[in-house]
């Protein structure tokens, strides 16, 4: 239950100052379900993550970054923003850079630690 709450909080972090309060609740609730689904998936795939940081911070964080493109006040996809497609694309590019950054530095750390 605690990780579900954390998943919701992580999900709203990226867009907390750019969405309406009702949208923050929706993003957080969806984030909790993202956590539940990703926890089940990674357990089924037998990925060893005892504190479930990947599910809570990684996958809920990805959802939160994408959610900004949907819920951003006056500019999001749900508001019919003129540049909402560009905003969504920018969010996807940002996610890819974050994944690359953490992947490269994690790999370097683990190679040195090995």
């Amino acid at each position: 239950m605690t990780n579900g709450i954390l998943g919701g909080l992580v999900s709203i972090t990226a867009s907390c100052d750019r969405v309406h309060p009702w949208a923050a609740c929706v993003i957080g609730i969806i984030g909790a379900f993202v956590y539940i689904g990703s926890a089940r998936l990674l357990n089924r795939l037998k990925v060893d993550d005892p504190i479930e940081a990947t599910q809570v911070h990684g996958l809920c964080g990805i959802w939160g970054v994408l959610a900004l493109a949907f819920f951003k006040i006056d500019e999001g996809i749900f508001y019919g923003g003129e540049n909402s497609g560009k905003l969504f694309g920018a969010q996807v590019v940002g996610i890819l850079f974050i994944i690359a950054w953490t992947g490269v530095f994690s790999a370097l750390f683990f190679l040195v630690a090995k």
Side-chain angles (χ1 to χ4, degrees):
M1 185 169 109
T2 304
N3 279 346
I5 294 168
L6 287 172
L9 292 170
V10 168
S11 297
I12 189 54
T13 301
S15 58
C16 64
D17 65 336
R18 299 286 184 232
V19 299
H20 288 293
W22 68 266
C25 292
V26 171
I27 292 168
I29 290 168
I30 293 172
F33 286 104
V34 168
Y35 161 73
I36 292 168
S38 61
R40 289 182 180 169
L41 175 65
L42 270 64
N43 282 338
R44 185 174 297 153
L45 295 174
K46 299 191 187 308
V47 174
D48 184 27
D49 187 359
I51 59 171
E52 298 183 332
T54 302
Q55 296 90 319
V56 172
H57 295 282
L59 297 173
C60 289
I62 288 171
W63 155 243
V65 171
L66 290 177
L68 177 65
F70 291 98
F71 292 98
K72 186 174 182 186
I73 297 172
D74 297 330
E75 297 177 32
I77 293 169
F78 293 148
Y79 293 97
E82 195 171 299
N83 293 320
S84 59
K86 288 182 183 179
L87 177 60
F88 183 79
Q91 297 305 99
V92 170
V93 169
I95 289 167
L96 294 175
F97 272 96
I98 292 167
I99 291 170
W101 177 271
T102 56
V104 166
F105 282 101
S106 294
L108 288 173
F109 171 77
F110 290 125
L111 286 172
V112 170
K114 186 178 178 182

